[in-house]
Amino acid sequence: CVCSSYMGLEPGTDMIGIPVTKVFIGSCTNGRIEDMRAVASVAKGRKVAEGVDALVVPGSGLVKEMAEKEGLHEILKEAGFDWREPGCSMCLAMNPDKLKPQERCASTSNRNFEGRQGNGGRTHLVSPIMAAAAAVNGCLTDVRHLELTNFDPIDGEDDIANFYEGTLPSTGALINSGSALTSGDDDDDNAPGLPKFTVLTGIAAPLDLQNIDTDMIIPKEYLKTIKRAGLGYAAFAELRYENPDEVAVNPDAAVDKTDFVLNQAPWKNAAKILVAGDNFGCGSSREHAPWSINDMGIRCIISTSFADIFYNNCFNNGMLPLKLPRQQVEILLEDAAAGLELTVDLPNNEVRRPNGDVFTFELDEARKTNLLNGYDQIGLTMLKVDKIVAFEAKRSIDTPWLDGATTRVPASMPVHEAVPV
């Protein structure tokens, strides 16, 4: 079967003893402090097996700080583990830490699909403690057969005091009358946050591929930014360029694939609508996917279905993911392949073809209202700014000790005289 061929294993193969050359311990769900302790319990007094490259990536800066206070990093480094800075790392191969084709890895990533840790890589999902066992034995191992060292968390007042070092005192009420939040021009097409979506007419590009996932929309190598703008060059990089890895480092080095529709006339740099296959936007939850498509100038995607997270992210970025029956999508694919323009009329819930035919669609009224008015989440909040200001003013009178409260407040921090003790 395809699965056994990809993984290089025959059905019924005993998993214990399968050799690995890479071990990744980390991810936002498996890089907690308790995971670091579990890994150290295996690493104590042992060495990473010869020929194995083992990475340990704390799930956050706080986890790294706590692990180093407990000395866990020294145990791991002594055993031959590579102690890294917090980040995504090999969880989804965002940086040079990637599997080579057919390279096998024991990984604590929180999900798995073909190519997630590198094109052709073979990933076995395991718990942190099982990954550590694989690292020291050089193969998938049942950790229950190993003797472990127990590590208890440090519990002391000095550590708590150090943890809160540098916290700031109350800054006062967070929202006040006259705040910048209350300003703005309601007549501005872009107020309060996104361009309004009303009637969109433009060339539609056909992309009749099924299950286009977010890694196909924007590969992980392009995710090293939190800016919405400027990612248009990254959209569909692996479908679009001969050298996508090089483009991730140097966009000017791009070599277009001539057979990709968005590299061809009349769609290149002109398409405003994308007509796509079923289940568009599946895979991981990266919001960079709609960012990149939107930055290409495409504000509407028409398909039979969308993955839920991608669908929601589109609305949060002023884009319309539009669902139609397959028969109608196929007709629009033919129009798009002919280089024709389509019109998406949101106020009337219509898609109009060049010959005058009309397809109607359904859309949640709240989402429709947000698109028509250009409301993002901040914009929706601004609609209730008067109530927020009134609440903050009342709370500041009733509970002044809550004004500007930090989330890291040490027990010794001076408090407001009115706070109940």
Side-chain angles (χ1 to χ4, degrees):
C1 69
V2 174
C3 179
S4 61
S5 174
Y6 185 86
M7 291 300 292
L9 299 173
E10 293 298 325
T13 300
D14 188 349
M15 301 301 291
I16 301 300
I18 294 176
V20 297
T21 56
K22 286 283 196 299
V23 172
F24 170 73
I25 300 169
S27 83
C28 47
T29 55
N30 290 306
R32 303 161 297 181
I33 183 60
E34 53 265 42
D35 299 319
M36 301 297 105
R37 295 181 188 127
V39 173
S41 74
V42 174
K44 180 71 172 179
R46 296 186 174 94
K47 295 289 185 181
V48 171
E50 185 176 353
V52 174
D53 183 14
L55 313 180
V56 180
V57 182
S60 69
L62 182 57
V63 171
K64 183 174 186 288
E65 177 184 340
M66 295 172 69
E68 291 182 349
K69 285 183 178 178
E70 296 182 16
L72 302 180
H73 67 307
E74 295 295 347
I75 295 170
L76 296 174
K77 290 194 290 185
E78 174 65 24
F81 289 84
D82 189 357
W83 179 250
R84 295 292 190 88
E85 292 296 320
C88 293
S89 185
M90 189 177 270
C91 180
L92 71 166
M94 277 182 61
N95 59 15
D97 296 320
K98 299 179 184 179
L99 294 182
K100 298 175 182 177
Q102 302 183 358
E103 192 170 24
R104 197 175 299 277
C105 177
S107 173
T108 67
S109 297
N110 50 14
R111 68 184 73 172
N112 188 25
F113 48 82
E114 289 188 15
R116 177 178 173 88
Q117 291 194 294
N119 184 34
R122 294 167 170 171
T123 298
H124 296 269
L125 295 185
V126 295
S127 68
I129 199 168
M130 288 285 283
V136 298
N137 280 359
C139 60
L140 298 182
T141 301
D142 187 342
V143 71
R144 292 172 296 183
H145 297 159
L146 300 181
E147 185 176 342
L148 306 179
T149 302
N150 184 51
F151 288 96
D152 294 320
I154 292 177
D155 184 16
E157 293 183 1
D158 290 342
D159 294 284
I160 294 175
N162 291 336
F163 179 74
Y164 289 120
E165 185 178 358
T167 52
L168 301 175
S170 170
T171 58
L174 297 178
I175 299 178
N176 300 290
S177 299
S179 166
L181 194 60
T182 63
S183 64
D185 184 357
D186 291 339
D187 295 330
D188 184 350
D189 284 343
N190 292 331
L194 296 170
K196 296 178 181 179
F197 191 115
T198 53
V199 178
L200 176 66
T201 298
I203 293 176
L207 190 60
D208 192 20
L209 297 176
Q210 315 310 310
N211 304 309
I212 293 179
D213 63 37
T214 52
D215 198 50
M216 292 176 66
I217 296 172
I218 180 167
K220 46 194 169 286
E221 291 83 0
Y222 296 81
L223 305 184
K224 300 173 184 178
T225 179
I226 56 173
K227 296 181 179 179
R228 297 188 184 192
L231 283 173
Y233 79 97
F236 305 107
E238 292 184 350
L239 298 173
R240 188 173 167 189
Y241 304 123
E242 298 286 356
N243 55 338
D245 289 345
E246 187 178 358
V247 176
V249 178
N250 179 18
D252 293 333
V255 178
D256 289 350
K257 289 184 177 180
T258 58
D259 59 350
F260 182 57
V261 62
L262 292 173
N263 288 336
Q264 301 172 350
W267 304 285
K268 184 174 183 178
N269 300 324
K272 295 183 178 180
I273 300 168
L274 186 67
V275 186
D278 307 339
N279 195 30
F280 191 89
C282 55
S284 66
S285 56
R286 63 195 70 170
E287 193 171 2
H288 298 68
W291 291 354
S292 63
I293 295 175
N294 198 18
D295 201 59
M296 290 187 77
I298 296 173
R299 294 197 63 202
C300 178
I301 304 169
I302 300 174
S303 176
T304 61
S305 57
F306 296 87
D308 287 344
I309 295 177
F310 178 86
Y311 186 73
N312 293 332
N313 282 340
C314 283
F315 291 106
N316 290 336
N317 288 280
M319 299 170 64
L320 174 59
L322 196 157
K323 300 177 184 178
L324 290 175
R326 180 64 192 181
Q327 184 178 3
Q328 294 179 354
V329 171
E330 289 178 353
I331 293 172
L332 297 181
L333 281 167
E334 293 177 1
D335 289 342
L340 302 178
E341 288 190 341
L342 300 176
T343 295
V344 177
D345 185 340
L346 180 56
N348 294 302
N349 287 37
E350 293 180 348
V351 177
R352 294 194 287 272
R353 299 179 61 209
N355 66 359
D357 288 352
V358 174
F359 297 150
T360 59
F361 60 89
E362 296 181 356
L363 186 65
D364 176 78
E365 283 299 319
R367 296 185 188 277
K368 179 177 178 178
T369 298
N370 291 345
L371 286 175
L372 290 173
N373 291 280
Y375 294 147
D376 58 8
Q377 299 302 312
I378 295 175
L380 289 172
T381 302
M382 289 172 65
L383 296 177
K384 300 181 180 180
V385 69
D386 291 341
K387 293 182 178 179
I388 295 172
V389 170
F391 170 82
E392 288 282 350
K394 184 177 184 301
R395 192 186 75 167
S396 195
I397 294 173
D398 295 342
T399 55
W401 57 88
L402 296 179
D403 288 345
T406 176
T407 57
R408 294 174 70 170
V409 182
S412 60
M413 178 177 172
V415 297
H416 194 278
E417 60 184 8
V419 68
V421 178

